[in-house]
Amino acid sequence: MFTWIFRLSPVVLLASCVGLGLGGGNARVSVTQDALVVEAPRGFCVDQEARRDDGLSAFLVFGNCAGMSGSRFAAQPPVEAVLTATISEPGDAGGISAALADLPAYFGSPDGRAVLSRTGDPETVTLLQSFVAGDILYLRAQDESPGVVPGVEDIYWRAYFDLGPRIATLSVLAMDDARDDEAAQLSTLESFVAGTRAANPNVLPSAPDTAPSTQAGLFNSGFFRGILGPRQAASSTQ
């Protein structure tokens, strides 16, 4: 699996953030061979040129519809931000739902903060907040590692949840000059999650056979095999 699940491409984000004239699109996008749907809140449009979808996994970037189209008549989003969505390859049963109780502590640990870091260095990441709502993990983190895209804050909101045997990772990355507070950004992420889940009514989280009981065990669960791949997951525990 690709490391850009967690570490977003500066080139992809830069194109969307500064409005380089890339083609815009709809807020509702079908991805992967399973035709899963990602639906962003009103005012956000997908950047078709930043889209990555090989049938097994997918990565999308959503920007301001008005900014991307150059039309002052286009819908404006509720916050000044860039949205991203990643749909992982299919994995074993029991992704997020299997590890849900342990994930807040995991992402606060050095191993978890290394996963959140653009450079893999846990010292660059501060986990500011995390909580579980139903079968969804929400977290807010700051990544001060090199490579942050100009114009985008180094603090972001992110959500993880299961879509059948796949894992969805949705993020809200605020612009540097955004006037929105963190509550508005979280509300946008919650709308992003709700829209995507509602657009896939027949896709339910897979029921795990067993739930991992330790943070180290998370690397061997379907969650990290689906996101990082066997080789990356194994190296992360060394």
Side-chain angles (χ1 to χ4, degrees), residues 94-144:
I96 294 298
S97 57
L100 200 57
D102 291 329
L103 285 175
Y106 168 74
F107 278 117
S109 72
D111 281 342
R113 287 185 285 111
V115 168
L116 296 176
S117 171
R118 283 182 295 272
T119 59
D121 180 1
E123 297 302 317
T124 68
V125 172
T126 302
L127 183 63
L128 302 172
Q129 186 177 355
S130 65
F131 63 91
V132 172
D135 54 2
I136 307 163
L137 172 71
Y138 288 92
L139 63 81
R140 183 169 178 261
Q142 180 174 18
D143 183 3
E144 298 180 294

Side-chain angles (χ1 to χ4, degrees), residues 75-102:
Q76 290 284 351
V79 296
E80 300 173 77
V82 171
L83 310 185
T84 66
T86 302
I87 307 298
S88 76
E89 294 180 3
D92 296 338
I96 294 298
S97 57
L100 200 57
D102 291 329

Side-chain angles (χ1 to χ4, degrees), residues 215-236:
Q215 291 179 22
L218 294 175
F219 278 109
N220 296 317
S221 71
F223 173 67
F224 280 104
R225 282 202 301 274
I227 288 181
L228 298 176
R231 181 178 300 177
Q232 182 70 21
S235 65
S236 298

Side-chain angles (χ1 to χ4, degrees), residues 31-45:
V31 296
T32 76
Q33 60 194 11
D34 295 336
L36 296 175
V37 176
V38 177
E39 183 165 334
R42 183 178 184 275
F44 286 103
C45 290

Side-chain angles (χ1 to χ4, degrees), residues 20-80:
L20 296 182
L22 300 185
N26 298 323
R28 186 181 176 99
V29 186
S30 178
V31 296
T32 76
Q33 60 194 11
D34 295 336
L36 296 175
V37 176
V38 177
E39 183 165 334
R42 183 178 184 275
F44 286 103
C45 290
V46 69
D47 184 334
Q48 295 289 4
E49 293 194 21
R51 176 175 177 168
R52 302 291 181 266
D53 184 356
D54 62 5
L56 294 177
S57 62
F59 176 69
L60 302 171
V61 176
F62 295 85
N64 182 309
C65 292
M68 294 173 69
S69 66
S71 171
R72 61 188 178 90
F73 299 107
Q76 290 284 351
V79 296
E80 300 173 77

Side-chain angles (χ1 to χ4, degrees), residues 151-191:
V152 175
E153 288 187 349
D154 56 11
I155 298 176
Y156 57 84
W157 276 103
R158 183 168 292 171
Y160 300 100
F161 57 94
D162 292 327
L163 280 178
R166 302 174 185 273
I167 296 165
T169 306
L170 307 185
S171 301
V172 173
L173 300 94
M175 309 302 292
D176 275 339
D177 57 355
R179 292 161 290 182
D180 315 294
D181 59 23
E182 62 184 77
Q185 294 161 14
L186 174 59
S187 178
T188 299
L189 179 57
E190 290 172 332
S191 296

